Amino acid sequence: MIFQTLNGSWSMYPAKDTQKHVVQGTIPGSVYSFLMANGKLEDPYYRDNELKALELMNDDYIFSRTFTVDNDLLACSSIRLECAGLDTICDIFINGKKAGSAFNMHRYWKYDVKKLLKNGRNEISILFHSPVKYIKDRDSLNHTGGSIHAMRGFPQIRKAHCMFGWDWGPRLPDAGIWKDIRLAGIDSSEITDIYITQQYNGNTVSVTAEVQQSRNAEIKITMTAPDGSIYELQNDKSFSVPSPRLWWPNGLGEQPLYTVKVELLEQGKTADSSTKRIGLRTMTLSRKKDKWGESFSHCVNGVDFFAMGADYIPEDNILSRITPERTRKLLEQCKAAHFNVVRVWGGGFYPADAFYDACDELGLVVWQDMMFACANYPLDYNFEDNITAEIEENIKRLRHHPSVGLWCGNNEMEKFETSYTYDGSEKTKAIYIRMYEHIIPHILHRIDPGTPYWPSSPSSGGSFDNPDDPDRGDVHYWEVWHGGVPFSEYRKFFFRYVSEFGFQSFPCMKTINSFTKPEDHNVFSRIMEMHQRNEGANGKILTYLSMTFLYPSKFETLVYASQLLQAEAIKYGVEHWRRNRGRCMGAIYWQLNDIWPVASWASIDYFGRWKALHYYAKRFFAPVMVSCEEYGEAQDTFSIVYEKKGPVPTRARLSVANETRQHVKGILQWTLNDEFSNILQKGKKEITVEPLSSLWAESLDFHNTDFLHNHLSFEFLIGGLVVSSGSVLFTNPKYYHFANPELSYRLDDNKITVLSKAYARYVEISSDDSDFTLSDNYFDMEKGERTVLITDGHAKHITLRSGFDIR
């Protein structure tokens, strides 16, 4: 086969523009990327520029370029135009003649163009129709409901739903050639499918590669082991792998990868080839009846593990900005915070191969939603054919990856169909069953029966059987945040697997400054609310702040306090569920990242800056983690003005979670201190924690200690080194009598040492003029010193603050 790329320089202009005011740009690219590159569109993320950018998408646009076909390619008996991604409704023309149409951004499109090409100069043009007009016109004929945060009619088009808006994203339904485009000359056999399966028998692992081709060429298959050894396989024949090395999720073992290369040989020459990397592992979904209901956990190589991670959304509304390097860095930050699972949410798009390659290497198991979310769909024969092709293509593209651990039919639709949400009806319920409990599972049964399928998230297993059941399946728990209940509510629930729960915060000031003017720095200003897509949420942050902290006197302090609220909320839930490992087997918080600069649930903002939550995640997802279930004034009464029945109890239970496959032996020690770090009581205990378990280690009763002045600090040491630590208050932070810690620091190359003269809670190390990532941040410390490392970036001028400064 011969390939000729058509990426690179293209022209673009509005189809209605008879004067052809052409702009030049680079493909992959889009309407927005071309206009921005030519200074014709202001940054749509700045202030409320989104509104102007949205208006542009009422028009149709033409992308075009000229090219000369390579002589060898032109001589091929068959020539295809291959488009890896067209967004979305478009018609393709070559030399003025129509080559075909496309109507699904999630598909790989191929067109026979041999008869349309000629010697010398050729021209390709692609007419993209307005997605705004398309959904409006289609919906007027057959309305299907969906999330109110997106544009009406968005389910009518197979395009990333969130491009039409979401409760964290703007309405910017861009259009263009969002992936590679090329010509393919075919004069020989080509690979049409590669399906690699594994078989396990005790310690023996066998691999089978089933190759399908268009003709009858000789098939050569080799497999290269992690140590460089090369083995030859026979097509559709089982091969026993010598000394197999198993692939494990992050924290449970290594991620050795085997490279399978397939070549088609004709007359001794390579006619076509393809390479795939695999990991040797089994991946199942454990669902077993138990005393609480039914378990729900990922099981790799026979080991059930506690899922720790977050929900991934598209990294940018302007898709050409999403690069393999950017994606890799984001996923490396997941590993840095001890994630072992990432859930790809169903309202975006199926990520590029580079996403899954990185997950394979980093040990991140992927919960993969199909691209259906918060909507009903206009199922007819054409729609069914369209989504069937979409799903088949993406399953075949991704099924070999060891990181792909579960296919899920949709986001939240089983739950919402039961209440007829999104203009639901008996008909939409019937369509739901056909799509997610017939069409998709039948496709998987044919082409990937080995990977677990789950019909919806949340679900108890399908068929509208109480999808919110806390004792079966996965849940989305939103009473903390949407319901306005306090963080302590988390401890009332022992869900089997929490695949969504979250809390919002504002991004840091550097990020806020990227989309605001100084006069916008009020959380209820128009611009701050334009960059807050969950209506009323800025007020909700303040409501929760009133429960927790003193009222900040500065906007910058309010931003800092909001990030602490978010981090403390998610920590409260995760630590509780990890303490109850075995009953609960997963905590996947909403959400990992942002699609634009915005106040949201993300732990890493649009620019890749870690919020307090991501630093907290590094601590509460640590493989070995100590935590405390405290009880004090905050748990004893909802309000301090309520009549008290007696002295407020102050007690604590310490727990150590061990999400490794080894026994852990260490020293658990604690101190009861006052605000000046004077030790009032102390204790320590040697404990051993079984692999993959959680141990209640010690119960402490402080007999009504002065909770306005005293707090508990604790740490777990292995071999004399602290591997996990923390502290708790017995009242809300706003009531605790923090002493001024008079924080200072020493900067020595990549080390920052913080010095404190008293107990300091939520210590933040930041800089107005530089970006960096630290080994730890937003931490608690007693009087003394604490050193952290700069793991990425450079520190210039350092700023320190703590909970004492929220006033």
Side-chain angles (χ1 to χ4, degrees), residues 306-310 338-342 578 586-588 620-623 659:
F306 190 101
M308 302 184 290
H338 305 297
F339 285 27
N340 55 30
V341 170
V342 173
R578 287 196 68 184
I588 309 298
F620 60 60
F621 283 155
E659 202 58 34

Side-chain angles (χ1 to χ4, degrees), residues 11-30:
S11 302
M12 186 206 74
Y13 55 92
K16 68 179 182 181
D17 185 358
T18 57
Q19 300 300 312
K20 293 190 178 181
H21 291 103
V22 177
V23 293
Q24 304 295 318
T26 301
I27 293 299
S30 65

